[in-house]
Amino acid sequence: RDSQQAETECLSRWKKWRRTSSKSLKKALSEVKGLSSHLVLWQHDIRSIEGKFGTGIQSYFSFLRFLVLLNFIIFILMFSFVTLPTIISKNGLFNSTAASTSPKNIENVCTIYKPNGNKGLVYFYTYLKDLLSGTGFLEVTILFYGYYSTDALWINIMRYNFPLAYLLATFAYLALSFLWIIKRSVEGFKHNLVHDADPFQSYCNKVFAGWDFCITDPNAARLKHRSLQYELQTDLQEEKLKQKIAERRMGEKLRIYSLRIFINIIVIAILSGCFYSIYRVTVFSQENSNVSIRNYARTDLTNLLVQYLPSMVITLANFIGPLIFAFLIRFEDYTPAFEIKLTLLRCVFVRLASIGVLMFSLWSQISGCGSDKCKPCGYNYKSYPCWESDVGQEMYKLMIFDFIVILAVALFADFPRKLLVTHCSCKLVQWFGHKEFEISDNVLEIIYGQTICWIGTFFSPLLPAIATIKYFIIFYVKKIVLIHTRKPAARPIRASSSNFFFLVVLLIGLLLAFIPLGFSIARIPSSKACGPFRNFNTSWEVIPDTVLEFPTGLQQFLFGIASEAFAVPFFVI
Amino acid sequence: AYKRFSELLPKEERENACSARVPKSQILTLPELRANPFQDRICHVFSTSDTGDDSMSFEDFLDMLSVFSDSATSDIKSHYAFRIFDFDNDGTLDRKDLEQLVNCLTGQGEESRLSSAEMEQLIQNILEESDIDKDGTINLAEFQHVVSRSPDFARSGVSRG
């Protein structure tokens, strides 16, 4: 420091001024940063969770915050381009009118659609039932696709091409989600790359640079000690295991590989069993709960149960699957890190594929042309006069049920467990112990909910709003559950790799959502009785039709872009 | 920084803060050092006390803060880190130093220590990775080389405020 002081005296006045101004600028910048962190949603809550429970759990909560924001933006998008014009035109504000031309060249029978809007005197519980299953009075509101039956709007003298706007808004929210997730994962990927860059130095890195000098809270310090100890021990164990594997003899190897193949076959069998049961249950539910036909012979409660049967089966599969996988993987004799990854991969597969199976079974019902039921309209018009609303209702039910299950588990499983463990001291209960906060299970839960939201928004434009509220409430519920009942996990997870992993799985969910949406938009004929695409064969046809209306020069330009010679290099870049 | 230093002194001595020395027990009440497992070593390294009681004057305090701030270069940080990790003050990190270092990291208490077999394996691995001249100890140059390639070191050695 003495040398520094001597140096300062020698500097000219200009350099002195530069130095002091740069110092004050740095100070001002850091103060602005501190202020702006107050504006970020839940910043204080997440920081306190990080301090008490570690960065692994904190990454779960910031992931939840990211989803709340994403859903909110998607909702604003859909609302401003789809719902708002409809509301404006239906109420005649701003001198607007709406035109809904009836479809030409289509037989009349396809356009019959009488949703039961609960006319007359009804019991109160009918409203509750309708709220839970999206039928009845909800079916004819802006919640579902069926309400948006306008073809064109005029606001003053401007013409608003409503079907085009609906389709483009759908593409926009998918593209927005895609880009935002990629942007976030790039940051995590860079971090990951740096972390794994030097496998030759992992021990030195952990020992010499392991301690975080920012920790001021003794609880956090204890957590850090434990995580360091655990990391060092796991690394040493893995090294020993790798040596053991390298020394395996041929006979051992054969035995282990055949055991693994056998267990994989069991896993595939279990998965197919789950998927088949989801398929059968969905078909059963659709056939037996047809609400368009009022069937008073069945009581409303059983009707509700039948409607919720697919959701219940999916939730059951999502619950049992991971337990079975965790049990089976012990026999496969992998290194611990690989075990965790493989189990996680299998759980992800169960969750996302069950949604796919549900969609597939819905379609087989909608396009199920058993005995010539589809001839006039291209889809099963008798049972599904407005099939998009029906799909929207299924997604709505899935989302509501998911929400109810999360709340119910928190209320009825976690709190009583904590009460039991703290007050009852019998051996069995103590062995059960406090529940740990399983990060991966919770993350998969919310990714599952988000995939449903992405698929469902096309069929039910207000679904993102419901999702936003749902995740908002879940944040507080999980936070309370965490603070009151959990003890910190004995296996601390490193935050940066978890973040990247969550985003990758979310991306897989989004790409999976593309498939059903693409199929519905481009392949299945849109319903002729409701919705903005009544005059088109499929929903996708809006775009070619609009393009044909453009001036020829623009048309040729667009065809040129769409042609393969241009599109492939464009996407590569 | 001056305010924080003077807060550590008992009331009577506050006017003379520039020349007073704060005893070690007071330094350890600082929030950054409270939870730090290396608190004793840090005090010892930065203290210029002749009596060996590890008390710190205001200049020592400033030294310590400047090394831990983000404007210190990684050379300075690694130099001081080496001195902090060198428990027996002999200028090199030998097996005993490494063993004490690991025990500090995993925490106090019997159940948080590694077993002796694990410790052996770990020290073996560390020496394999960093000991270039294979003399069984890590000197300053080897330490700085290892630390410069470590991505975590720059972030973890910084404390705010």
Short mmCIF file of all heavy atoms in Angstrom, two decimals, chain A residues 1 194-195 198 200-209 211-217 221 225 228-229 232-233 236 239-240, chain B residues 31 35-37 59 63 85 101 104-107 111-112 114 118 121-122 125-126 129 143 146 149-153 156 158:
data_model
loop_
_atom_site.label_atom_id
_atom_site.label_comp_id
_atom_site.label_asym_id
_atom_site.label_seq_id
_atom_site.Cartn_x
_atom_site.Cartn_y
_atom_site.Cartn_z
N ARG A 1 0.80 -1.20 0.00
CA ARG A 1 0.00 0.00 0.00
C ARG A 1 0.84 1.26 0.00
O ARG A 1 0.44 2.27 -0.57
CB ARG A 1 -0.94 0.00 1.20
CG ARG A 1 -2.39 0.19 0.74
CD ARG A 1 -3.38 0.22 1.84
NE ARG A 1 -2.79 0.11 3.14
CZ ARG A 1 -2.72 1.13 3.98
NH1 ARG A 1 -3.21 2.28 3.69
NH2 ARG A 1 -2.13 0.98 5.15
N VAL A 194 -17.71 -23.76 -18.78
CA VAL A 194 -16.56 -23.34 -18.00
C VAL A 194 -16.32 -24.30 -16.83
O VAL A 194 -15.21 -24.68 -16.52
CB VAL A 194 -16.76 -21.90 -17.49
CG1 VAL A 194 -15.71 -21.56 -16.46
CG2 VAL A 194 -16.69 -20.94 -18.64
N HIS A 195 -17.43 -24.68 -16.21
CA HIS A 195 -17.30 -25.56 -15.04
C HIS A 195 -16.67 -26.89 -15.37
O HIS A 195 -15.85 -27.40 -14.63
CB HIS A 195 -18.69 -25.82 -14.46
CG HIS A 195 -18.90 -25.11 -13.17
ND1 HIS A 195 -18.33 -25.52 -12.00
CD2 HIS A 195 -19.57 -23.99 -12.88
CE1 HIS A 195 -18.68 -24.68 -11.05
NE2 HIS A 195 -19.43 -23.75 -11.54
N ASP A 198 -12.26 -28.26 -17.04
CA ASP A 198 -11.00 -28.86 -16.65
C ASP A 198 -11.21 -30.07 -15.75
O ASP A 198 -11.14 -29.96 -14.53
CB ASP A 198 -10.17 -27.81 -15.91
CG ASP A 198 -8.77 -27.78 -16.46
OD1 ASP A 198 -8.32 -28.83 -16.93
OD2 ASP A 198 -8.15 -26.71 -16.38
N PHE A 200 -9.25 -32.30 -15.30
CA PHE A 200 -7.98 -32.71 -14.68
C PHE A 200 -7.75 -31.99 -13.38
O PHE A 200 -6.83 -32.30 -12.66
CB PHE A 200 -6.82 -32.38 -15.62
CG PHE A 200 -6.99 -33.03 -16.96
CD1 PHE A 200 -7.22 -32.26 -18.08
CD2 PHE A 200 -6.97 -34.39 -17.09
CE1 PHE A 200 -7.40 -32.85 -19.31
CE2 PHE A 200 -7.16 -34.99 -18.32
CZ PHE A 200 -7.38 -34.22 -19.43
N GLN A 201 -8.61 -31.01 -13.11
CA GLN A 201 -8.29 -30.19 -11.96
C GLN A 201 -9.42 -30.11 -10.96
O GLN A 201 -9.46 -29.22 -10.15
CB GLN A 201 -8.00 -28.76 -12.43
CG GLN A 201 -6.59 -28.40 -12.30
CD GLN A 201 -6.44 -26.91 -12.39
OE1 GLN A 201 -5.67 -26.44 -13.17
NE2 GLN A 201 -7.20 -26.18 -11.59
N SER A 202 -10.36 -31.05 -11.08
CA SER A 202 -11.58 -30.85 -10.29
C SER A 202 -11.30 -30.84 -8.80
O SER A 202 -11.91 -30.08 -8.06
CB SER A 202 -12.59 -31.94 -10.64
OG SER A 202 -12.01 -33.19 -10.39
N TYR A 203 -10.39 -31.66 -8.34
CA TYR A 203 -10.14 -31.71 -6.89
C TYR A 203 -9.52 -30.42 -6.40
O TYR A 203 -9.92 -29.86 -5.39
CB TYR A 203 -9.24 -32.89 -6.54
CG TYR A 203 -9.94 -34.21 -6.65
CD1 TYR A 203 -9.67 -35.09 -7.68
CD2 TYR A 203 -10.91 -34.57 -5.73
CE1 TYR A 203 -10.32 -36.28 -7.80
CE2 TYR A 203 -11.57 -35.76 -5.83
CZ TYR A 203 -11.28 -36.61 -6.86
OH TYR A 203 -11.93 -37.80 -6.97
N CYS A 204 -8.50 -29.93 -7.12
CA CYS A 204 -7.86 -28.68 -6.70
C CYS A 204 -8.87 -27.55 -6.71
O CYS A 204 -8.92 -26.73 -5.78
CB CYS A 204 -6.72 -28.32 -7.65
SG CYS A 204 -5.27 -29.30 -7.36
N ASN A 205 -9.70 -27.53 -7.75
CA ASN A 205 -10.70 -26.48 -7.84
C ASN A 205 -11.61 -26.50 -6.61
O ASN A 205 -11.89 -25.48 -6.01
CB ASN A 205 -11.51 -26.72 -9.11
CG ASN A 205 -12.41 -25.56 -9.41
OD1 ASN A 205 -12.09 -24.44 -9.05
ND2 ASN A 205 -13.52 -25.82 -10.05
N LYS A 206 -12.04 -27.71 -6.24
CA LYS A 206 -12.98 -27.79 -5.13
C LYS A 206 -12.31 -27.40 -3.82
O LYS A 206 -12.93 -26.77 -2.97
CB LYS A 206 -13.52 -29.22 -5.00
CG LYS A 206 -14.48 -29.57 -6.08
CD LYS A 206 -15.39 -30.69 -5.64
CE LYS A 206 -16.37 -30.97 -6.74
NZ LYS A 206 -15.87 -31.94 -7.72
N VAL A 207 -11.07 -27.80 -3.65
CA VAL A 207 -10.45 -27.57 -2.35
C VAL A 207 -9.95 -26.14 -2.21
O VAL A 207 -10.19 -25.48 -1.21
CB VAL A 207 -9.29 -28.57 -2.14
CG1 VAL A 207 -8.47 -28.19 -0.94
CG2 VAL A 207 -9.85 -29.96 -1.97
N PHE A 208 -9.27 -25.63 -3.24
CA PHE A 208 -8.69 -24.30 -3.09
C PHE A 208 -9.70 -23.19 -3.31
O PHE A 208 -9.58 -22.12 -2.74
CB PHE A 208 -7.53 -24.11 -4.08
CG PHE A 208 -6.36 -25.00 -3.77
CD1 PHE A 208 -5.71 -25.67 -4.77
CD2 PHE A 208 -5.92 -25.16 -2.47
CE1 PHE A 208 -4.63 -26.49 -4.49
CE2 PHE A 208 -4.85 -25.98 -2.18
CZ PHE A 208 -4.20 -26.65 -3.19
N ALA A 209 -10.67 -23.42 -4.15
CA ALA A 209 -11.62 -22.35 -4.45
C ALA A 209 -13.01 -22.70 -3.98
O ALA A 209 -13.98 -22.12 -4.43
CB ALA A 209 -11.62 -22.09 -5.95
N TRP A 211 -14.50 -22.50 -0.99
CA TRP A 211 -15.24 -21.74 0.00
C TRP A 211 -15.70 -20.42 -0.57
O TRP A 211 -14.93 -19.67 -1.12
CB TRP A 211 -14.38 -21.52 1.25
CG TRP A 211 -15.18 -20.83 2.28
CD1 TRP A 211 -15.13 -19.53 2.62
CD2 TRP A 211 -16.21 -21.41 3.06
NE1 TRP A 211 -16.05 -19.24 3.59
CE2 TRP A 211 -16.73 -20.39 3.87
CE3 TRP A 211 -16.76 -22.69 3.16
CZ2 TRP A 211 -17.76 -20.61 4.78
CZ3 TRP A 211 -17.78 -22.91 4.06
CH2 TRP A 211 -18.27 -21.87 4.85
N ASP A 212 -16.98 -20.11 -0.39
CA ASP A 212 -17.54 -18.86 -0.88
C ASP A 212 -17.39 -17.81 0.22
O ASP A 212 -18.02 -17.91 1.27
CB ASP A 212 -19.01 -19.08 -1.22
CG ASP A 212 -19.63 -17.85 -1.82
OD1 ASP A 212 -18.88 -16.88 -2.09
OD2 ASP A 212 -20.84 -17.86 -2.04
N PHE A 213 -16.54 -16.80 -0.04
CA PHE A 213 -16.26 -15.84 1.02
C PHE A 213 -17.38 -14.86 1.27
O PHE A 213 -17.27 -13.99 2.12
CB PHE A 213 -14.97 -15.08 0.69
CG PHE A 213 -13.74 -15.88 0.98
CD1 PHE A 213 -13.34 -16.88 0.12
CD2 PHE A 213 -13.02 -15.66 2.13
CE1 PHE A 213 -12.21 -17.63 0.40
CE2 PHE A 213 -11.89 -16.41 2.42
CZ PHE A 213 -11.48 -17.40 1.55
N CYS A 214 -18.49 -14.98 0.50
CA CYS A 214 -19.59 -14.04 0.73
C CYS A 214 -20.52 -14.50 1.83
O CYS A 214 -21.42 -13.78 2.21
CB CYS A 214 -20.43 -13.89 -0.54
SG CYS A 214 -19.54 -13.07 -1.83
N ILE A 215 -20.33 -15.71 2.31
CA ILE A 215 -21.31 -16.24 3.25
C ILE A 215 -21.15 -15.57 4.59
O ILE A 215 -20.07 -15.53 5.17
CB ILE A 215 -21.11 -17.76 3.40
CG1 ILE A 215 -21.45 -18.43 2.08
CG2 ILE A 215 -21.98 -18.31 4.49
CD1 ILE A 215 -21.32 -19.91 2.14
N THR A 216 -22.25 -15.02 5.13
CA THR A 216 -22.16 -14.37 6.43
C THR A 216 -23.06 -15.05 7.45
O THR A 216 -22.92 -14.80 8.64
CB THR A 216 -22.61 -12.90 6.33
OG1 THR A 216 -23.94 -12.91 5.79
CG2 THR A 216 -21.72 -12.12 5.42
N ASP A 217 -23.97 -15.88 7.00
CA ASP A 217 -24.93 -16.47 7.92
C ASP A 217 -24.43 -17.85 8.37
O ASP A 217 -24.07 -18.66 7.54
CB ASP A 217 -26.27 -16.59 7.16
CG ASP A 217 -27.33 -17.25 7.99
OD1 ASP A 217 -27.39 -16.94 9.19
OD2 ASP A 217 -28.06 -18.07 7.43
N ALA A 221 -23.36 -21.19 6.24
CA ALA A 221 -22.02 -21.76 6.32
C ALA A 221 -22.08 -23.25 6.57
O ALA A 221 -21.36 -24.04 5.95
CB ALA A 221 -21.23 -21.06 7.43
N HIS A 225 -20.56 -26.20 4.25
CA HIS A 225 -19.67 -27.25 4.74
C HIS A 225 -20.18 -28.62 4.31
O HIS A 225 -19.45 -29.47 3.81
CB HIS A 225 -19.61 -27.22 6.27
CG HIS A 225 -18.72 -26.15 6.81
ND1 HIS A 225 -17.43 -25.96 6.42
CD2 HIS A 225 -18.97 -25.19 7.73
CE1 HIS A 225 -16.90 -24.95 7.07
NE2 HIS A 225 -17.81 -24.45 7.87
N LEU A 228 -19.82 -29.21 0.59
CA LEU A 228 -18.45 -29.50 0.21
C LEU A 228 -18.07 -30.92 0.60
O LEU A 228 -17.47 -31.66 -0.18
CB LEU A 228 -17.49 -28.52 0.90
CG LEU A 228 -17.34 -27.17 0.21
CD1 LEU A 228 -16.56 -26.23 1.08
CD2 LEU A 228 -16.64 -27.34 -1.12
N GLN A 229 -18.45 -31.29 1.81
CA GLN A 229 -18.12 -32.64 2.27
C GLN A 229 -18.76 -33.67 1.35
O GLN A 229 -18.12 -34.63 0.93
CB GLN A 229 -18.61 -32.81 3.70
CG GLN A 229 -18.34 -34.16 4.28
CD GLN A 229 -19.13 -34.39 5.55
OE1 GLN A 229 -19.86 -33.51 6.00
NE2 GLN A 229 -19.02 -35.56 6.11
N LEU A 232 -17.02 -33.79 -2.12
CA LEU A 232 -15.73 -34.47 -2.09
C LEU A 232 -15.92 -35.97 -1.93
O LEU A 232 -15.30 -36.77 -2.62
CB LEU A 232 -14.87 -33.92 -0.95
CG LEU A 232 -14.33 -32.52 -1.18
CD1 LEU A 232 -13.67 -32.00 0.08
CD2 LEU A 232 -13.33 -32.52 -2.32
N GLN A 233 -16.85 -36.34 -1.04
CA GLN A 233 -17.05 -37.77 -0.82
C GLN A 233 -17.59 -38.45 -2.07
O GLN A 233 -17.15 -39.56 -2.42
CB GLN A 233 -18.00 -38.00 0.36
CG GLN A 233 -17.28 -37.93 1.67
CD GLN A 233 -18.22 -38.04 2.84
OE1 GLN A 233 -19.39 -37.69 2.74
NE2 GLN A 233 -17.71 -38.50 3.95
N LEU A 236 -14.85 -38.91 -4.65
CA LEU A 236 -13.93 -39.99 -4.31
C LEU A 236 -14.58 -41.35 -4.55
O LEU A 236 -13.94 -42.27 -5.07
CB LEU A 236 -13.50 -39.85 -2.85
CG LEU A 236 -12.63 -38.63 -2.57
CD1 LEU A 236 -12.44 -38.43 -1.08
CD2 LEU A 236 -11.28 -38.78 -3.23
N GLU A 239 -14.67 -42.18 -8.18
CA GLU A 239 -13.38 -42.59 -8.70
C GLU A 239 -13.12 -44.06 -8.37
O GLU A 239 -12.68 -44.84 -9.21
CB GLU A 239 -12.31 -41.71 -8.08
CG GLU A 239 -11.01 -41.74 -8.84
CD GLU A 239 -9.94 -41.01 -8.07
OE1 GLU A 239 -10.29 -40.00 -7.42
OE2 GLU A 239 -8.80 -41.45 -8.09
N LYS A 240 -13.46 -44.43 -7.12
CA LYS A 240 -13.24 -45.83 -6.73
C LYS A 240 -14.09 -46.75 -7.57
O LYS A 240 -13.64 -47.83 -8.01
CB LYS A 240 -13.58 -46.01 -5.24
CG LYS A 240 -12.43 -45.72 -4.33
CD LYS A 240 -12.58 -46.42 -3.00
CE LYS A 240 -13.27 -45.50 -2.04
NZ LYS A 240 -13.01 -45.75 -0.65
N PRO B 31 -19.10 -9.52 10.11
CA PRO B 31 -19.98 -10.50 9.46
C PRO B 31 -19.28 -11.39 8.44
O PRO B 31 -19.56 -12.57 8.34
CB PRO B 31 -21.06 -9.65 8.79
CG PRO B 31 -20.56 -8.26 8.81
CD PRO B 31 -19.59 -8.15 9.92
N ALA B 35 -18.57 -16.43 9.76
CA ALA B 35 -18.90 -17.79 9.33
C ALA B 35 -17.77 -18.42 8.55
O ALA B 35 -17.93 -19.49 8.00
CB ALA B 35 -20.17 -17.75 8.49
N ASN B 36 -16.64 -17.74 8.48
CA ASN B 36 -15.56 -18.22 7.64
C ASN B 36 -14.69 -19.21 8.40
O ASN B 36 -14.21 -18.92 9.49
CB ASN B 36 -14.72 -17.00 7.23
CG ASN B 36 -13.89 -17.29 6.02
OD1 ASN B 36 -13.25 -18.33 5.95
ND2 ASN B 36 -13.88 -16.37 5.09
N PRO B 37 -14.46 -20.38 7.83
CA PRO B 37 -13.65 -21.37 8.57
C PRO B 37 -12.18 -20.98 8.66
O PRO B 37 -11.44 -21.55 9.44
CB PRO B 37 -13.83 -22.65 7.76
CG PRO B 37 -14.21 -22.18 6.41
CD PRO B 37 -14.96 -20.92 6.58
N GLU B 59 -4.53 0.04 9.22
CA GLU B 59 -3.90 -0.27 7.94
C GLU B 59 -4.03 -1.75 7.61
O GLU B 59 -4.28 -2.12 6.45
CB GLU B 59 -2.43 0.13 7.99
CG GLU B 59 -2.29 1.63 8.00
CD GLU B 59 -0.84 2.05 8.19
OE1 GLU B 59 0.02 1.17 8.38
OE2 GLU B 59 -0.59 3.25 8.15
N ASP B 63 -5.83 -3.34 4.38
CA ASP B 63 -5.19 -4.36 3.55
C ASP B 63 -6.12 -5.53 3.32
O ASP B 63 -6.32 -5.99 2.19
CB ASP B 63 -3.94 -4.88 4.27
CG ASP B 63 -2.74 -4.02 3.98
OD1 ASP B 63 -2.77 -3.27 3.00
OD2 ASP B 63 -1.76 -4.09 4.76
N PHE B 85 -3.61 -20.54 3.45
CA PHE B 85 -3.72 -22.00 3.51
C PHE B 85 -2.48 -22.64 4.13
O PHE B 85 -2.50 -23.81 4.49
CB PHE B 85 -3.91 -22.58 2.10
CG PHE B 85 -5.23 -22.24 1.47
CD1 PHE B 85 -5.36 -22.15 0.10
CD2 PHE B 85 -6.35 -22.00 2.25
CE1 PHE B 85 -6.57 -21.85 -0.49
CE2 PHE B 85 -7.57 -21.69 1.67
CZ PHE B 85 -7.67 -21.61 0.29
N LEU B 101 -6.50 -28.08 5.80
CA LEU B 101 -7.33 -27.29 4.89
C LEU B 101 -8.65 -28.01 4.62
O LEU B 101 -9.74 -27.43 4.70
CB LEU B 101 -6.56 -27.06 3.59
CG LEU B 101 -7.30 -26.40 2.44
CD1 LEU B 101 -7.76 -25.03 2.87
CD2 LEU B 101 -6.39 -26.27 1.25
N CYS B 104 -10.95 -27.97 7.56
CA CYS B 104 -11.63 -26.68 7.70
C CYS B 104 -12.81 -26.58 6.75
O CYS B 104 -13.87 -26.06 7.11
CB CYS B 104 -10.67 -25.54 7.36
SG CYS B 104 -9.69 -25.00 8.75
N LEU B 105 -12.62 -27.10 5.55
CA LEU B 105 -13.68 -26.95 4.55
C LEU B 105 -14.90 -27.78 4.88
O LEU B 105 -16.03 -27.36 4.65
CB LEU B 105 -13.17 -27.40 3.17
CG LEU B 105 -12.32 -26.40 2.41
CD1 LEU B 105 -11.88 -27.02 1.11
CD2 LEU B 105 -13.12 -25.15 2.13
N THR B 106 -14.67 -29.00 5.41
CA THR B 106 -15.84 -29.84 5.61
C THR B 106 -16.55 -29.56 6.92
O THR B 106 -17.62 -30.07 7.17
CB THR B 106 -15.47 -31.33 5.57
OG1 THR B 106 -14.49 -31.56 6.58
CG2 THR B 106 -14.93 -31.70 4.23
N GLY B 107 -15.97 -28.74 7.74
CA GLY B 107 -16.71 -28.31 8.92
C GLY B 107 -16.18 -28.90 10.20
O GLY B 107 -15.43 -29.86 10.22
N GLU B 111 -18.45 -35.89 12.78
CA GLU B 111 -19.13 -36.60 11.69
C GLU B 111 -18.93 -35.90 10.36
O GLU B 111 -19.27 -36.44 9.32
CB GLU B 111 -20.64 -36.74 11.99
CG GLU B 111 -21.43 -35.46 11.86
CD GLU B 111 -21.26 -34.57 13.07
OE1 GLU B 111 -20.59 -35.02 14.02
OE2 GLU B 111 -21.78 -33.45 13.05
N SER B 112 -18.38 -34.67 10.40
CA SER B 112 -18.23 -34.00 9.12
C SER B 112 -16.82 -34.14 8.56
O SER B 112 -16.49 -33.55 7.55
CB SER B 112 -18.60 -32.52 9.25
OG SER B 112 -17.81 -31.96 10.27
N LEU B 114 -13.72 -36.25 6.75
CA LEU B 114 -13.56 -37.40 5.87
C LEU B 114 -12.80 -38.49 6.63
O LEU B 114 -12.01 -38.21 7.51
CB LEU B 114 -12.76 -37.01 4.63
CG LEU B 114 -13.35 -35.92 3.74
CD1 LEU B 114 -12.43 -35.69 2.56
CD2 LEU B 114 -14.70 -36.33 3.25
N GLU B 118 -10.30 -41.82 2.84
CA GLU B 118 -10.75 -40.81 1.88
C GLU B 118 -9.77 -39.65 1.83
O GLU B 118 -9.46 -39.11 0.76
CB GLU B 118 -12.14 -40.30 2.27
CG GLU B 118 -13.24 -41.30 2.00
CD GLU B 118 -14.56 -40.85 2.62
OE1 GLU B 118 -14.52 -40.00 3.54
OE2 GLU B 118 -15.60 -41.34 2.20
N GLN B 121 -6.77 -40.54 -0.18
CA GLN B 121 -7.07 -40.55 -1.61
C GLN B 121 -7.18 -39.12 -2.14
O GLN B 121 -6.66 -38.80 -3.21
CB GLN B 121 -8.39 -41.30 -1.81
CG GLN B 121 -8.69 -41.64 -3.25
CD GLN B 121 -10.07 -42.25 -3.39
OE1 GLN B 121 -10.73 -42.56 -2.40
NE2 GLN B 121 -10.50 -42.42 -4.61
N LEU B 122 -7.83 -38.26 -1.34
CA LEU B 122 -8.04 -36.88 -1.79
C LEU B 122 -6.71 -36.15 -1.92
O LEU B 122 -6.44 -35.49 -2.93
CB LEU B 122 -8.95 -36.16 -0.79
CG LEU B 122 -9.28 -34.72 -1.11
CD1 LEU B 122 -9.95 -34.62 -2.45
CD2 LEU B 122 -10.18 -34.14 -0.04
N ASN B 125 -4.85 -37.21 -4.89
CA ASN B 125 -5.37 -36.62 -6.11
C ASN B 125 -4.94 -35.17 -6.27
O ASN B 125 -4.55 -34.73 -7.35
CB ASN B 125 -6.90 -36.69 -6.12
CG ASN B 125 -7.38 -38.07 -6.46
OD1 ASN B 125 -6.77 -38.75 -7.26
ND2 ASN B 125 -8.45 -38.50 -5.85
N ILE B 126 -5.00 -34.41 -5.16
CA ILE B 126 -4.63 -33.00 -5.24
C ILE B 126 -3.17 -32.86 -5.66
O ILE B 126 -2.82 -32.07 -6.53
CB ILE B 126 -4.86 -32.29 -3.90
CG1 ILE B 126 -6.35 -32.27 -3.56
CG2 ILE B 126 -4.34 -30.87 -3.94
CD1 ILE B 126 -6.63 -31.63 -2.24
N GLU B 129 -2.62 -33.54 -9.23
CA GLU B 129 -3.07 -32.49 -10.14
C GLU B 129 -2.17 -31.27 -10.11
O GLU B 129 -2.04 -30.57 -11.10
CB GLU B 129 -4.50 -32.08 -9.78
CG GLU B 129 -5.54 -33.10 -10.17
CD GLU B 129 -6.89 -32.74 -9.60
OE1 GLU B 129 -6.99 -31.67 -8.95
OE2 GLU B 129 -7.84 -33.50 -9.79
N PHE B 143 0.96 -23.32 -6.87
CA PHE B 143 -0.37 -22.93 -6.40
C PHE B 143 -0.98 -21.89 -7.33
O PHE B 143 -2.15 -22.00 -7.72
CB PHE B 143 -0.26 -22.37 -4.97
CG PHE B 143 -1.57 -21.97 -4.38
CD1 PHE B 143 -2.45 -22.94 -3.92
CD2 PHE B 143 -1.94 -20.64 -4.29
CE1 PHE B 143 -3.67 -22.58 -3.38
CE2 PHE B 143 -3.15 -20.27 -3.75
CZ PHE B 143 -4.02 -21.24 -3.29
N VAL B 146 -2.15 -23.48 -10.57
CA VAL B 146 -3.39 -24.25 -10.45
C VAL B 146 -4.59 -23.32 -10.33
O VAL B 146 -5.63 -23.50 -10.97
CB VAL B 146 -3.31 -25.17 -9.21
CG1 VAL B 146 -4.67 -25.40 -8.62
CG2 VAL B 146 -2.69 -26.48 -9.58
N ARG B 149 -6.08 -21.48 -13.39
CA ARG B 149 -6.94 -22.24 -14.31
C ARG B 149 -8.26 -22.64 -13.67
O ARG B 149 -9.05 -23.35 -14.25
CB ARG B 149 -6.21 -23.51 -14.76
CG ARG B 149 -5.10 -23.20 -15.75
CD ARG B 149 -4.10 -24.31 -15.82
NE ARG B 149 -4.75 -25.58 -16.15
CZ ARG B 149 -4.16 -26.75 -16.05
NH1 ARG B 149 -2.92 -26.82 -15.62
NH2 ARG B 149 -4.80 -27.86 -16.35
N SER B 150 -8.50 -22.16 -12.47
CA SER B 150 -9.72 -22.57 -11.80
C SER B 150 -10.80 -21.51 -11.97
O SER B 150 -10.59 -20.36 -11.62
CB SER B 150 -9.40 -22.77 -10.32
OG SER B 150 -10.52 -22.51 -9.55
N PRO B 151 -11.96 -21.88 -12.51
CA PRO B 151 -12.97 -20.87 -12.79
C PRO B 151 -13.65 -20.34 -11.53
O PRO B 151 -14.16 -19.23 -11.54
CB PRO B 151 -13.99 -21.61 -13.66
CG PRO B 151 -13.80 -23.04 -13.31
CD PRO B 151 -12.38 -23.22 -12.95
N ASP B 152 -13.63 -21.08 -10.45
CA ASP B 152 -14.37 -20.65 -9.27
C ASP B 152 -13.62 -19.66 -8.43
O ASP B 152 -14.20 -18.96 -7.62
CB ASP B 152 -14.68 -21.87 -8.38
CG ASP B 152 -15.91 -22.60 -8.86
OD1 ASP B 152 -16.70 -21.98 -9.59
OD2 ASP B 152 -16.05 -23.77 -8.51
N PHE B 153 -12.30 -19.62 -8.58
CA PHE B 153 -11.51 -18.89 -7.60
C PHE B 153 -11.82 -17.40 -7.65
O PHE B 153 -11.93 -16.75 -6.62
CB PHE B 153 -10.02 -19.12 -7.87
CG PHE B 153 -9.14 -18.58 -6.79
CD1 PHE B 153 -9.08 -19.21 -5.57
CD2 PHE B 153 -8.41 -17.44 -6.98
CE1 PHE B 153 -8.28 -18.70 -4.55
CE2 PHE B 153 -7.60 -16.94 -5.97
CZ PHE B 153 -7.54 -17.58 -4.76
N SER B 156 -15.16 -16.72 -5.86
CA SER B 156 -15.37 -17.06 -4.45
C SER B 156 -14.54 -16.19 -3.54
O SER B 156 -14.83 -16.04 -2.37
CB SER B 156 -15.04 -18.53 -4.21
OG SER B 156 -13.67 -18.73 -4.44
N VAL B 158 -14.26 -13.09 -3.37
CA VAL B 158 -14.69 -11.69 -3.30
C VAL B 158 -15.77 -11.55 -2.26
O VAL B 158 -16.70 -12.34 -2.22
CB VAL B 158 -15.27 -11.26 -4.67
CG1 VAL B 158 -15.85 -9.89 -4.57
CG2 VAL B 158 -14.19 -11.30 -5.71
#
